[in-house]
């Protein structure tokens, strides 16, 4: 074959494997070669476990659904024997996972090979991967720009053909937004669809693990492997897992697609807006019915999220006390100083900001005014979606209001950065599912095309429906086939 195996999709590799012309070892070697050739300028990987991956490839059973397919893993999902730093200095070089997260166990059972750890915003807090305490990851489409975040390493590795697919996590947009910026497909499953056991928690009521892939078909293949009830995660749902590939027949005639007026407002980059409108036109041509809807509490989503997410983070990150988890300073004079100095040194600015904010909104006297209030608004946001899904099957919007921004452009303005997630956050608050698929390019930079993502949201546990729509869209377009 003339094209590199690393550039193929899971489905294409499965077909190649069936012909017997290639082996899982060829695939793993090709991906490692691609990482060696191309990752130094992008910086998606924090580490790769080449030797072990080749060994697994030798034993791989290609009759399994993901047999012999190497997958990059966001650095907050535990893989036994591999480092897990969550993009943070506090864990770097000090923590090696002692167990497999349930998603990893399931991926391995399906035959997949975890190949390396990919970069992220520290503890998944951010939208650009610039908050990583370890390294900068660049957008393969334009090395002056960020890949999005927090799963920036996942999206950059898939876009750069240094991974066949990746696992990321999404608390407020972290799978969908980097997918939009890097021209990949990113699926956030409904809350509870996929076990969070072994995912280092940021905000436990919002976090979900999901795939970043080159096509929706590949996302369905991975979701088939990782979805389902897990006795080790009491919030995982005991609901049948359909075969997600079965709904993908390209047929969306008569499907009702909602366009929320609150998601098509001023402030969206004009090239993004025009690509989204063209994308929606394509869906209409495929026979879908486009219906105007309203999600009236949208304007409160970002502030609600930043109260709930920081509150939960302040509790979840307490475990990094440099006693059990985390690097410790060498010279504390007493235990309080031990905590204070180790945490001050180990955590980056954004993580500290959120721990302080989260502690504040939970503190006595402010709890009712902020945290309890935010929970009430969260219910209103969830009700908006429940009502909307009485009228429509799915909802479409831009995934992000802009294409990828320049490195350094937003770092000093956290509030501006928080707005990068304005269209993705509500889905996490409501617990519903969402996917981003490529729908065009912005050309604001004369030298580089910048990918744009179309977001498709569906009711809780309706991953089949959103995958069906994104797959139909991909069958009718070729945006997802473009490479940097
Ligand atoms: N960008 C959002 C944040 O910083 C979402 C991150 C995420 O989904 N992990 O919280």
């Amino acid at each position: 074959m003339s094209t590199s195996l690393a550039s193929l999709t899971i489905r294409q590799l499965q077909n190649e494997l069936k012909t017997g012309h290639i082996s899982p070892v060829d695939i793993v070697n090709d991906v490692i070669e691609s990482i060696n050739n191309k990752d130094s300028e992008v910086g998606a990987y924090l580490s790769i476990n080449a030797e072990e991956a080749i060994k697994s490839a030798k034993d791989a059973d290609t009759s399994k659904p993901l047999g012999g397919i190497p997958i990059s893993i966001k650095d907050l999902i535990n893989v036994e024997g591999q480092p897990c730093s969550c993009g943070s200095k506090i864990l770097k070089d000090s923590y090696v996972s002692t167990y497999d997260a349930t998603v990893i166990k399931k991926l391995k059972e399906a035959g997949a090979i975890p190949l390396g750890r990919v970069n992220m915003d520290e503890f998944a807090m951010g939208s650009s991967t610039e908050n990583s305490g370890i390294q900068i990851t660049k957008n393969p489409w334009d090395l002056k720009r960020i890949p999005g975040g927090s799963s920036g390493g996942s999206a950059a590795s898939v876009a750069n053909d240094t991974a066949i697919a990746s696992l990321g996590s999404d608390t407020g947009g972290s799978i969908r937004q980097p997918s939009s910026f890097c021209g990949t497909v990113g699926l956030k499953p409904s809350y509870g669809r996929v076990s969070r056991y072994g995912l280092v928690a940021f905000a436990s009521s919002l976090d979900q693990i999901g795939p970043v892939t080159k096509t929706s078909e590949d996302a369905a293949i991975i979701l088939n492997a990782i979805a389902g009830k897990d006795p080790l995660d009491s919030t995982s749902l005991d609901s049948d897992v359909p075969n997600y590939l079965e709904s993908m027949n390209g047929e969306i005639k008569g499907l009702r697609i909602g366009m929320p007026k609150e998601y098509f407002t001023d402030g969206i980059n004009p090239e993004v807006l025009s690509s989204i409108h063209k994308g929606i036109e394509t869906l209409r041509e495929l026979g879908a019915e486009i219906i105007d809807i309203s999600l009236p509490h949208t304007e409160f989503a970002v502030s609600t999220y930043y109260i709930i997410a920081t509150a939960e983070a302040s509790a979840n990150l307490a475990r990094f006390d440099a006693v059990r988890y985390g690097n410790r300073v060498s010279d504390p004079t007493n235990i309080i100083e031990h905590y204070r100095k180790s945490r001050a040194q180990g955590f980056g600015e954004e993580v500290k900001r959120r721990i302080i904010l989260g502690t504040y909104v939970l503190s006595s006297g402010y709890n009712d005014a902020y945290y309890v209030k935010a929970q009430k608004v969260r219910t209103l946001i969830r009700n908006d979606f429940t009502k909307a899904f009485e009228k429509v099957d799915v909802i479409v919007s831009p995934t992000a209001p802009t294409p990828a921004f320049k490195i350094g452009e937003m770092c000093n303005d956290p509030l501006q950065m928080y707005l990068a997630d304005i269209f993705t956050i509500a889905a996490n608050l409501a617990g519903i599912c969402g996917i981003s698929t490529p729908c065009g390019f912005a050309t604001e930079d004369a030298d580089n095309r910048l990918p744009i993502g179309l977001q498709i949201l569906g009711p809780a546990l309706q991953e089949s429906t959103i995958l069906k729509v994104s797959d139909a869209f991909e069958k009718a377009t070729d945006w997802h086939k473009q490479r940097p």
Side-chain angles (χ1 to χ4, degrees), residues 278 280-288:
K278 282 187 199 138
I280 293 171
E281 219 23 65
T282 304
L283 295 171
R284 194 200 302 273
E285 282 158 18
L286 290 171

Side-chain angles (χ1 to χ4, degrees), residues 82-408:
Q82 292 186 24
C84 180
S85 72
C86 303
S88 181
K89 283 198 178 70
I90 207 159
L91 288 174
K92 187 175 178 319
D93 301 327
S94 72
Y95 183 68
V96 173
S97 301
T98 53
Y99 67 104
D100 279 336
T102 296
V103 287
I104 298 298
K105 193 169 154 264
K106 287 188 164 200
L107 278 184
K108 285 181 177 171
E109 279 163 9
I113 303 170
L115 172 74
R117 315 284 303 166
V118 281
N119 200 21
M120 54 183 284
D121 285 300
E122 186 176 6
F123 288 105
M125 298 175 187
S127 310
S128 68
T129 311
E130 289 165 296
N131 293 341
S132 167
I134 301 175
Q135 68 191 34
I136 294 267
T137 297
K138 296 171 184 162
N139 190 314
W141 292 88
D142 178 354
L143 299 173
K144 295 186 297 302
R145 292 175 190 263
I146 53 94
S150 64
S151 311
S154 290
S157 64
V158 173
N160 201 25
D161 287 337
T162 53
I164 307 299
S166 190
L167 274 193
S169 68
D170 190 312
T171 306
S174 276
I175 288 175
R176 291 161 286 158
Q177 184 257 27
S179 287
S180 171
F181 286 4
C182 290
T184 56
V185 173
L187 170 69
K188 183 202 90 74
S190 316
Y191 187 74
R193 179 73 296 187
V194 173
S195 166
R196 292 181 294 111
Y197 179 73
L199 166 75
V200 179
F202 159 15
S204 309
S205 76
L206 301 159
D207 299 340
Q208 266 294 287
I209 297 173
V212 176
T213 52
K214 294 169 187 171
T215 61
S216 291
E217 190 180 34
D218 281 6
I221 294 172
I222 293 189
L223 190 62
N224 276 345
I226 63 175
K229 174 75 184 162
D230 176 11
L232 298 173
D233 173 3
S234 61
T235 64
S236 64
L237 296 170
D238 196 2
S239 160
D240 285 346
V241 179
N243 181 343
Y244 293 103
L245 288 167
E246 270 171 13
S247 65
M248 300 178 132
N249 53 8
E251 182 55 62
I252 58 164
K253 217 185 208 108
L255 203 98
R256 298 162 306 162
I257 295 183
M259 265 178 83
K261 67 169 189 277
E262 294 80 4
Y263 283 56
F264 290 85
T265 50
D266 297 344
I268 301 176
N269 170 294
E271 288 186 288
V272 170
L273 199 56
S274 118
S275 291
I276 298 298
H277 280 302
K278 282 187 199 138
I280 293 171
E281 219 23 65
T282 304
L283 295 171
R284 194 200 302 273
E285 282 158 18
L286 290 171
E289 187 189 347
I290 312 297
I291 299 168
D292 289 328
I293 58 163
S294 170
L295 297 165
H297 298 93
T298 297
E299 64 174 304
F300 305 114
V302 173
S303 41
T304 303
Y305 170 86
Y306 277 96
I307 291 171
I308 293 171
T310 57
E312 294 183 15
S314 71
N316 278 326
L317 270 62
R319 73 192 57 160
F320 303 103
D321 58 4
V323 176
R324 179 144 190 203
Y325 299 112
N327 292 316
R328 55 183 74 172
V329 288
S330 53
D331 55 348
T333 53
N334 58 50
I335 186 71
I336 298 297
E337 197 179 298
H338 160 95
Y339 291 139
R340 194 166 51 75
K341 279 195 170 169
S342 301
R343 283 168 68 87
Q345 216 170 75
F347 289 136
E349 289 307 305
E350 183 62 26
V351 173
K352 285 182 206 163
R353 180 180 295 122
R354 295 200 188 193
I355 292 173
I356 293 168
L357 205 61
T359 308
Y360 178 79
V361 300
L362 288 177
S363 57
S364 83
Y366 296 103
N367 188 61
D368 284 352
Y370 293 108
Y371 185 70
V372 174
K373 185 72 159 271
Q375 292 294 8
K376 289 180 181 160
V377 181
R378 181 176 189 171
T379 303
L380 296 176
I381 290 170
R382 186 180 293 137
N383 292 346
D384 281 356
F385 282 104
T386 308
K387 277 197 201 122
F389 286 129
E390 286 165 6
K391 287 196 211 112
V392 297
D393 301 300
V394 299
I395 292 171
V396 290
S397 78
T399 303
T402 64
F405 37 91
K406 293 208 171 98
I407 294 170

Side-chain angles (χ1 to χ4, degrees), residues 18-39:
K18 268 190 214 131
T19 66
H21 293 140
I22 63 160
S23 72
V25 177
D26 296 330
I27 301 173
V28 170
N29 277 333
D30 222 62
V31 174
I32 293 172
E33 192 185 318
S34 179
I35 296 170
N36 290 339
N37 291 338
K38 298 204 288 184
D39 193 56

Side-chain angles (χ1 to χ4, degrees), residues 170 172-173 176-177 180 186 188 257-258 260 263-264 276 280 283 385 394-400 421-428 433-439 452-458 466 469-470:
D170 190 312
R176 291 161 286 158
Q177 184 257 27
S180 171
K188 183 202 90 74
I257 295 183
Y263 283 56
F264 290 85
I276 298 298
I280 293 171
L283 295 171
F385 282 104
V394 299
I395 292 171
V396 290
S397 78
T399 303
D421 304 305
I422 192 153
F423 300 139
T424 48
I425 270 176
N428 301 72
C433 57
I435 192 165
S436 178
T437 189
C439 72
I452 295 168
L454 174 70
Q455 175 171 248
I456 303 158
L457 300 173
I466 58 172
V469 177
S470 57

Side-chain angles (χ1 to χ4, degrees), residues 457-472:
L457 300 173
L461 294 178
Q462 287 302 313
E463 284 81 4
S464 297
T465 315
I466 58 172
L467 281 161
K468 179 192 181 79
V469 177
S470 57
D471 176 65

